[in-house]
Amino acid sequence: MFALVDVNNMYVSCERVFRPSLIGRPVVVLSNNDGACIARSNEAKDLGVRMAQPWFEVRHLERSAGLIALSANFELYGDMSSRMMSLAAAYAPLQEIYSIDECFLDFDGMPGDRVAVGCDLRAKVLRWTGLPTSVGFGATKTLAKLANHVAKTADRKPSSYPHALAQVCDLGQLPAPALEAVMQATEVGNVWGIGHKTTARLNQGGIHSVLDLVRADATILRRQFSVVIEKTILELRGTPCMEVNDAPAANQQIMCSRSFGSPVTELPELVEVVSQFASQVARKLREQGCVAGAVQVFITTSSYRQQDRHHAPSATLPLPHPSADTRVLVSAAVRALRSIYRPGFNYVKAGVMLVDLQSPGQVQDTLDLFGADEPGPPPAQGRTGLMSAMDALNERFGRQAVTVASATRKDGPSAHASRQERRSPRYTTRLEEIVTVRA
């Protein structure tokens, strides 16, 4: 038996913990440069604000409906997530952190009333962190996800499901007729792993509800779609195809991308930004214990600036030898950038992605008689003494304490510095921003 614990409207809920005046009011959290809505309170959803909707399209709701917009405060959200995850981990022997606001718990073989356990977990997280959660139990991870959706929806819209399923829902305790009624009332697009395009194709084939999908021929759908949908059907029928993984597999790609505070036209500014992004992904690569075989770089203009010419090139540069050395990766990223940059365009976003990730032990050393010598470590060495020293210094004195020269700027803020004009204090991680209470 699995449980999925999910914080309701995570980013907005974190803001409300320290600003209770936001409770009951429409709130959205904006992306890095206050460009789009990446989180919405239920009240904001009721106003029609869509996920990822550009802020300028809904800004008028500030005046007409009292909509409140806040800049993203990821440092706060990450710390609050760690606190919630540590509390949830105490309730089961295995935990898989699925995202910043979700985790799976494995209750296999554990006795007791699961609904009571879920209520206790929810109450403890709320009491100790102030974060409201929903808990869903199911015989498989897909059913646990579905149960969580039911628990959250029944709490927000009581007419959708029986009120007894709100906040904590255990599909494993429902009799067959009640379970079928829940599945019949749930659209197939709400199933974990069923995207918009797949939903449209399933609807065309007469599959509209979760119950329709459960009763469908899995073999036929596998031929029409893929083995993934066959596993989804099996999971919905109660046959586990996925286990809780308390040691998730290493990432196959590592990317850092961000929009700029204002358009960038000059190559030196783009070199600085790309160098910073390459340095960040290099650090993550070493933390994962891998080396990269290629570096991909992209830059793009804005599709919303109709007066600008559009340009969105990308380039992938294979490395002569897989590496995790910041100097090698930054050098490759800058070379890729120079190959795609064109003057006269207003670039608003850039990104660096490391691909072809391998463990150092998988790398076979090769001899390149005609290639230029690359700076840094031997080819298959994923973490040199210099990189270890740099990581240690950055861990102690701050992320940008030691970096490559091309990633630094002496005259003003970085080109990609986020505006974050509406960011709240980082209450839990910065002593100088801690809450002050006057009595």
Side-chain angles (χ1 to χ4, degrees), residues 302-378:
S302 173
S303 58
Y304 294 106
R305 295 171 59 92
Q306 301 297 329
Q307 71 276 20
D308 291 351
R309 293 183 298 160
H310 186 59
H311 191 222
S314 66
T316 301
L317 185 65
L319 300 177
H321 309 289
S323 178
D325 189 293
T326 295
R327 298 165 298 169
V328 174
L329 298 176
V330 169
S331 176
V334 170
R335 292 202 303 274
L337 170 67
R338 292 182 184 278
S339 72
I340 60 176
Y341 167 77
R342 298 293 180 271
F345 290 92
N346 291 323
Y347 296 107
V348 299
K349 187 176 184 179
V352 176
M353 178 186 294
L354 303 182
V355 296
D356 188 20
L357 305 191
Q358 312 164 44
S359 66
Q362 296 175 323
V363 178
Q364 293 184 353
D365 291 352
T366 58
L367 180 62
D368 186 357
L369 296 177
F370 304 100
D373 291 339
E374 291 287 345

Side-chain angles (χ1 to χ4, degrees), residues 377-417:
Q381 188 172 344
R383 189 179 182 93
T384 66
L386 176 59
M387 292 296 105
S388 296
M390 186 173 75
D391 291 341
L393 289 170
N394 287 331
E395 178 70 22
R396 181 175 180 181
F397 297 106
R399 186 168 295 180
Q400 293 295 323
V402 180
T403 185
V404 295
S406 61
T408 61
R409 169 181 290 203
K410 297 180 180 180
D411 53 343
S414 171
H416 81 282

